[in-house]
Amino acid sequence: MKKSLTVKFAAAFAVAALSLTGINATAANAAGGNKIYVLGGGDAFFAVVKNGFESAALSVKAGGDTPIWLGLQNYDNIGPDMVKLIQTAVAQGADAIALPIWDAAAEGPEIKKAVAKGIKVIAYNAGEPVMKKYGASAYIGTNEYTAGVKAGEYLASMGKKNAICVNDQPASANIKQRCDGLAKGEKNKGGKSTQLSLPATAFGNATAIANAVKGAITKDKTINAVFTISSADCDASVVGVKAAGSKAAIGSFDLSENILNRVKNGEQLVAVDQQGWLQGFLATSTAWQYAAYGILPATTTILTGPALITKANAATVIAGVKTGQR
Amino acid sequence: MAKAKDSSAPILALNDVSKVFGGYRALHDVSLNVYPGQVLCLLGDNGAGKSTLIKVLSGFHQPTSGTLEWEGEEANFKSPKDANDRGIATVHQFGGTFPLMTIGRSFFVGVEPTKGWGPFKRFNKKYANETAVREMQALGITRVTDGDRLIGSLSGGERQASAIARAVHFGAKVLILDEPTAALGVKEATHVLRIIMQAKLKGIAVILVTHNVTHALTVGDHFAVLIRGEKADDFKKGERTREQITDLMAGGEAMAELEEELNTLTGTINRVN
Amino acid sequence: MAGQTKSRFDFGTLLRRPEFGALIGTIVVFVFFSVAGGEPFTDLGGWAAWLNVASELGIIALPVALIMIAGDLDLSVGSTIAAGGVTMAVVSGFFDVPTPIGVVAGLAFGALIGFINGIIIVRTNLPSFVVTLATQFAVFGLVLGLCKLITGTVAVNVKADEGVKAIFGTLLFGNFETAIVIWAVLALLVAWILIKTKYGNWIYAIGGDMVSAKATGIPVNKVRVWLFVGSGTASALVGVIQASLYDSAQVSGGASFVFNSIIAVVVGGVLLTGGYGSVVGVILGTMTFAIVSQGIFFTGWDSDWASLILGGLLLVAVLTNNTFRRLAFSSGKKKG
């Protein structure tokens, strides 16, 4: 414990106060050296990304530079909110910005402006297809579509050729790619996958998700695989599948302790990992190295995923999840 | 109690009461006596201070200076509940103030009758409905027979009646009626005036706030005219003519109009009676 | 209606019951999805699918209805759900304290949030809309900050022990959540309070006219604070139920309940402006919402249209309801 308890609580209250503005700034904006801004989200996945950021931040600080995390509190207004975060980083004199390009139309022009000012921009997590267009220097992350394809092919190869892709954020282009990829992968191997779009009234409500899954697989009894786009939805879908009395296989994007335990115990077939920790760590250190020393990796795209986690490798991954590295 | 019945002594008195809001003087040295079994009419144009005076009498406001006397002793109404507990009931322009509640329920708000014991103590709906309907019928509202009806479905006059019936039932000694006839048609208004007379005959001191001189003259025993927060005149029945009062209130404006309305009304009353 | 006595069945009176419109709405959507969804929707599993969703929503909608009848709003139920579930998961999942203690801690946190809401509202006289909107954000931030500080993540796993699981997180007959039983018990309790106790009368009076209610001596502020404690505790209870059922709790959970609970209550005939509403109506409104939001998945239609169908059917339900409520407000039985 490096920080005292008082400091921890003070920080927690500061976070609570800042949450009203929708923006969450963690590190202090100290003077001197390069300012490395990392922009991200606020869900379970980004908690792991931020752990990666924090590990890289130690090196950044040791180099005399300043790492700063700016996080969204929610994804309700993702484009404009990201624009605000970029503007904040630019206004505060960022030397480098690492960020996910979720909404290219909104974020793109702001990224161009930042690049024009000489700020080094690294895309991570999302934005691979558009990153060059807006002047970002590298992309670190997974390819959602490729990840979906790989998962789809795996399902089909295991004999699960009729899948549904449970999507509680049907309006997000990024997430849709996962389901599109899954459908493509199934198709490649002679199977099929349809997307189950959940209305906004079900968001964050596990019971609504569980019973929607149950409804879909009761209606069409030939469905033999249920894939979810996030770890929380997966916990809910497992209950839905059980209640429907179905033997459908479970698969999910992203990881959690519950998911890994299920994979290890054979209750879940597969999980697709994109290694959030590694994304946070690499995005931060790449942005920093580029801004401070002008060094870029040799390839402009570094893929941290997809990595399929099955019964064979689940046990080794579990240790990492417990400590926030996976 | 004996004192309250004695109509020669005021049940409620104001001595040089002033009320100042910020820098604005809403009431200026007003003195009034309210007698049991009499109707005191508070007359005045809009903004003359009638509402402020009622709020002082019903405990919503405390006077800035001056004193209140209740049954001959100096008193300080700390809250509306305090005034209510002493027996001062206020009925507003729209009568029953809970339009979406049933007649029976709204009749007993705050003093719910219960039956049963301990955790099974429950609202006695039958008693509430029967009592409310009975008391309203006693005031001549025979059209109302179902205590489950919503207050909002009653006519304006019936709503006034339900509120007055409530006050009478709970033994109000002073009944303050704030513009009870303002929103009513002529026929409904005469009905409410008749109910006011019934309350008076029960020995209740009625304070009738109105800017309708005709209604005031029909039922009033005692009159006070407020102009810009001051008591401009104070007189007994028969001491002033209608013209004198209207002149005082409105400076003679709208006289002809009033006269006409007045004739219609007296005509109606004669026919009803 | 002349000549009819009170004791006899009277169709006119039934029509004027405030719940009648809500009942029609529920029947209409149920028939609609029975036809569109066929047997999977009408069999036991189908009933469970929407009853499960209805029960959790209903546990929150009932106290929220009381608050709305009293003329206030509670927009903080969303983050309070997360607060209840995450507290239980942190206490019992992360620190391994026995689950009953985690449950009590979760519920107590919810009650505290409600209490703070109530106290701020009655002390400052600010509209409850603004105050609870602020606490919705503040509590979310507090839970997020503390949860990440303590556990390093925003989704905490918890394995409820057998007793807790049996009460909160079991599927009866493999289908029905125990929450349905909890909902039924809560409905009886709330109905008793509203119809049979003086507190019910007070709640209606406060929503009808707060100033007059105060004048009759009702402890208005106390009642309002208690109502918020009620909805805070009930929201935390749903968080606990979901954590027990799905073995995990998320900081982001529950957000959709804020609007869902208001929709259910309004579809059930409670006036947004307060002073009017009934428990039966709220139950029917909750069912209507749950049937519509889950029924879509039994139709086999392209689920991309789910939100559109949901919005359309809810509008129809509210319109039906309003038409019949206008009948209730039109003068009731008149003497022949």
Side-chain angles (χ1 to χ4, degrees):
Chain A
M1 292 289 128
K2 272 171 249 122
K3 285 185 265 184
S4 76
L5 202 64
T6 342
V7 173
K8 278 195 160 196
F9 273 95
F13 283 110
V15 169
L18 278 163
S19 75
L20 285 170
T21 64
I23 288 165
N24 168 8
T26 307
N29 190 355
N34 291 299
K35 289 181 188 167
I36 315 299
Y37 279 81
V38 182
L39 280 41
D43 56 10
F45 177 79
F46 272 92
V48 178
V49 172
K50 199 178 158 212
N51 289 338
F53 157 82
E54 265 154 16
S55 296
L58 296 177
S59 310
V60 178
K61 282 180 202 151
D65 297 316
T66 312
I68 297 142
W69 174 272
L70 295 179
L72 293 176
Q73 289 296 336
N74 55 58
Y75 302 117
D76 296 342
N77 195 19
I78 196 163
D81 282 355
M82 279 305 288
V83 167
K84 273 180 216 132
L85 287 189
I86 298 169
Q87 286 167 346
T88 305
V90 172
Q92 291 178 356
D95 295 287
I97 302 173
L99 80 173
I101 309 177
W102 280 308
D103 184 341
E107 293 175 49
E110 285 303 315
I111 294 172
K112 264 188 184 165
K113 275 189 234 163
V115 172
K117 284 185 181 154
I119 298 169
K120 313 281 191 273
V121 175
I122 306 290
Y124 80 97
N125 182 263
E128 190 198 1
V130 293
M131 64 104 170
K132 281 220 174 85
K133 189 170 137 198
Y134 299 120
S137 310
Y139 173 79
I140 292 145
T142 188
N143 181 306
E144 301 289 7
Y145 189 74
T146 314
V149 173
K150 209 168 162 186
E153 287 174 347
Y154 180 75
L155 283 183
S157 72
M158 299 299 281
K160 307 291 183 186
K161 293 198 172 180
N162 187 4
I164 52 169
C165 185
V166 182
N167 186 353
D168 67 351
Q169 298 166 57
S172 157
N174 187 34
I175 301 288
K176 186 174 168 285
Q177 292 226 309
R178 295 181 169 183
C179 287
D180 288 351
L182 193 76
K184 179 76 169 91
E186 280 275 14
K187 207 177 156 199
N188 288 348
K189 302 252 173 170
K192 67 162 187 168
S193 168
T194 42
Q195 177 172 304
L196 185 72
S197 309
L198 296 174
T201 50
F203 186 73
N205 181 357
T207 299
I209 295 166
N211 288 286
V213 168
K214 186 175 118 182
I217 57 183
T218 330
K219 185 72 189 170
D220 181 356
K221 298 219 186 320
T222 63
I223 293 169
N224 54 15
V226 174
F227 226 86
T228 66
I229 53 108
S230 78
S231 56
D233 296 356
C234 190
D235 290 353
S237 298
V238 168
V239 173
V241 170
K242 242 183 234 162
S246 161
K247 296 248 183 304
I250 306 280
S252 71
F253 289 95
D254 299 348
L255 294 188
S256 74
E257 205 183 325
N258 279 348
I259 287 176
L260 288 170
N261 283 329
R262 277 197 296 267
V263 173
K264 193 180 78 180
N265 299 335
E267 294 158 357
Q268 176 169 345
L269 187 63
V270 62
V272 183
D273 187 19
Q274 56 166 307
Q275 307 197 85
W277 189 92
L278 199 57
Q279 284 181 18
F281 185 84
L282 287 179
T284 310
S285 35
T286 307
W288 170 56
Q289 292 276 307
Y290 191 30
Y293 310 113
I295 308 163
L296 265 181
T299 54
T300 48
T301 297
I302 301 172
L303 290 182
T304 58
L308 293 189
I309 292 160
T310 58
K311 203 170 177 178
N313 57 358
T316 48
V317 182
I318 288 176
V321 167
K322 278 211 169 118
T323 49
Q325 269 83 43
R326 288 299 290 267
Chain B
M1 275 297 149
K3 212 172 177 181
K5 292 278 178 213
D6 178 7
S7 59
S8 63
I11 182 169
L12 178 64
L14 270 76
N15 302 318
D16 297 327
V17 165
S18 294
K19 180 69 192 176
V20 183
F21 295 108
Y24 173 68
R25 189 179 287 241
L27 284 180
H28 185 58
D29 289 344
V30 174
S31 296
L32 274 181
N33 287 328
V34 183
Y35 297 95
Q38 287 198 13
V39 178
L40 167 68
C41 294
L42 264 179
L43 298 160
D45 208 353
N46 291 339
K50 290 176 296 180
S51 311
T52 311
L53 186 57
I54 303 170
K55 284 186 172 157
V56 169
L57 290 173
S58 56
F60 276 96
H61 293 326
Q62 276 70 52
T64 313
S65 67
T67 55
L68 267 76
E69 274 178 40
W70 176 254
E71 294 181 336
E73 283 162 35
E74 193 169 320
N76 174 25
F77 299 160
K78 290 183 283 289
S79 66
K81 185 175 167 9
D82 188 14
N84 205 46
D85 288 347
R86 289 170 200 261
I88 299 176
T90 311
V91 175
H92 296 287
Q93 189 176 346
F94 298 105
T97 37
F98 309 111
L100 299 173
M101 291 177 80
T102 66
I103 293 169
R105 280 183 170 273
S106 79
F107 198 87
F108 286 95
V109 162
V111 280
E112 289 77 8
T114 51
K115 59 183 178 186
W117 174 86
F120 302 105
K121 205 150 109 185
R122 57 203 186 271
F123 182 70
N124 192 339
K125 184 177 141 184
K126 189 161 174 272
Y127 171 80
N129 283 359
E130 282 173 5
T131 309
V133 170
R134 193 179 62 237
E135 292 287 351
M136 282 183 75
Q137 297 214 333
L139 290 181
I141 309 293
T142 48
R143 215 167 67 91
V144 174
T145 53
D146 181 5
D148 271 332
R149 266 177 68 179
L150 297 183
I151 291 284
S153 73
L154 299 178
S155 74
E158 288 168 343
R159 284 168 72 166
Q160 287 289 338
S162 79
I164 296 170
R166 180 180 200 272
V168 172
H169 178 78
F170 289 106
K173 294 174 185 164
V174 175
L175 179 61
I176 303 171
L177 301 171
D178 186 3
E179 303 275 10
T181 56
L184 302 182
V186 175
K187 201 174 165 195
E188 287 251 275
T190 55
H191 209 118
V192 169
L193 292 179
R194 201 169 337 122
I195 291 170
I196 292 172
M197 293 305 284
Q198 277 177 275
K200 167 191 154 169
L201 290 175
K202 285 185 203 265
I204 296 171
V206 179
I207 301 174
L208 173 64
V209 182
T210 183
H211 56 246
N212 187 319
V213 180
T214 316
H215 293 167
L217 283 172
T218 315
V219 294
D221 298 301
H222 202 108
F223 303 83
V225 181
L226 283 181
I227 294 177
R228 269 176 249 105
E230 292 186 50
K231 192 171 80 177
D233 202 357
D234 187 341
F235 52 90
K236 288 203 179 70
K237 188 173 184 140
E239 287 180 355
R240 300 282 186 284
T241 64
R242 194 175 292 140
E243 286 74 15
Q244 283 172 312
I245 302 167
T246 23
D247 269 351
L248 192 59
M249 271 174 71
E253 288 167 41
M255 271 286 294
E257 223 176 290
L258 252 167
E259 201 138 20
E260 203 173 274
E261 188 193 342
L262 193 135
N263 287 337
T264 339
L265 187 69
T266 22
T268 322
I269 289 172
N270 289 340
R271 207 166 48 242
V272 168
N273 293 343
Chain C
M1 242 143 301
Q4 287 189 342
T5 58
K6 248 191 269 180
S7 55
R8 243 191 300 159
F9 176 77
D10 179 350
F11 190 67
T13 309
L14 177 70
L15 271 177
R16 286 194 189 85
R17 292 286 304 167
E19 301 86 8
F20 191 73
L23 177 67
I24 295 289
T26 311
I27 292 173
V28 165
V29 297
F30 185 80
V31 169
F32 179 86
F33 283 109
S34 298
V35 173
E39 209 209 305
F41 182 74
T42 51
D43 72 9
L44 225 54
W47 277 78
W50 60 266
L51 270 176
N52 288 343
V53 173
S55 64
E56 290 176 10
L57 180 59
I59 288 170
I60 293 174
L62 286 167
V64 163
L66 289 185
I67 285 180
M68 271 170 66
I69 292 172
D72 282 312
L73 278 173
D74 190 354
L75 303 182
S76 69
V77 298
S79 56
T80 309
I81 292 172
V86 170
T87 303
M88 174 194 165
V90 168
V91 170
S92 300
F94 189 78
F95 290 117
D96 277 331
V97 178
T99 2
I101 297 173
V103 170
V104 171
L107 296 181
F109 193 14
L112 179 70
I113 295 166
F115 183 73
I116 291 171
N117 271 335
I119 288 293
I120 294 175
I121 289 162
V122 300
R123 289 276 163 85
T124 62
N125 265 331
L126 286 170
S128 49
F129 178 92
V130 175
V131 171
T132 56
L133 190 62
T135 38
Q136 161 80 0
F137 286 116
V139 168
F140 175 77
L142 182 70
V143 173
L144 174 70
L146 286 176
C147 184
K148 278 173 84 168
L149 212 57
I150 295 168
T151 67
T153 173
V154 292
V156 189
N157 300 315
V158 58
K159 272 264 180 267
D161 65 27
E162 271 174 36
V164 169
K165 192 110 183 157
I167 298 170
F168 297 115
T170 308
L171 295 180
L172 305 167
F173 310 108
N175 262 317
F176 296 92
E177 284 183 23
T178 46
I180 297 170
V181 179
I182 299 174
W183 180 35
V185 171
L186 188 69
L188 288 176
L189 180 73
V190 171
W192 174 268
I193 290 173
L194 206 50
I195 301 165
K196 290 291 180 186
T197 71
K198 59 181 179 183
Y199 308 111
N201 228 30
W202 294 1
I203 290 168
Y204 282 116
I206 293 170
D209 181 351
M210 204 187 294
V211 175
S212 301
K214 243 179 210 160
T216 60
I218 295 172
V220 170
N221 288 347
K222 235 187 232 170
V223 173
R224 290 170 80 201
V225 171
W226 273 109
L227 290 180
F228 278 100
V229 170
S231 78
T233 315
S235 304
L237 177 61
V238 170
V240 165
I241 288 170
Q242 290 206 342
S244 312
L245 206 53
Y246 305 105
D247 301 331
S248 67
Q250 278 83 33
V251 171
S252 64
S256 56
F257 276 89
V258 176
F259 290 110
N260 294 0
S261 63
I262 294 175
I263 294 168
V265 168
V266 172
V267 169
V270 175
L271 282 186
L272 268 170
T273 44
Y276 189 78
S278 74
V279 169
V280 175
V282 172
I283 292 171
L284 290 169
T286 309
M287 286 182 171
T288 303
F289 181 83
I291 291 170
V292 172
S293 59
Q294 297 304 311
I296 292 163
F297 302 106
F298 286 85
T299 58
W301 298 339
D302 186 344
S303 51
D304 287 348
W305 301 98
S307 283
L308 178 67
I309 296 165
L310 188 107
L313 281 178
L314 286 177
L315 204 58
V316 170
V318 174
L319 281 175
T320 323
N321 204 341
N322 252 26
T323 313
F324 282 99
R325 196 176 47 219
R326 218 170 301 134
L327 266 177
F329 285 169
S330 70
S331 58
K333 274 191 286 185
K334 281 177 189 162
K335 228 177 76 174

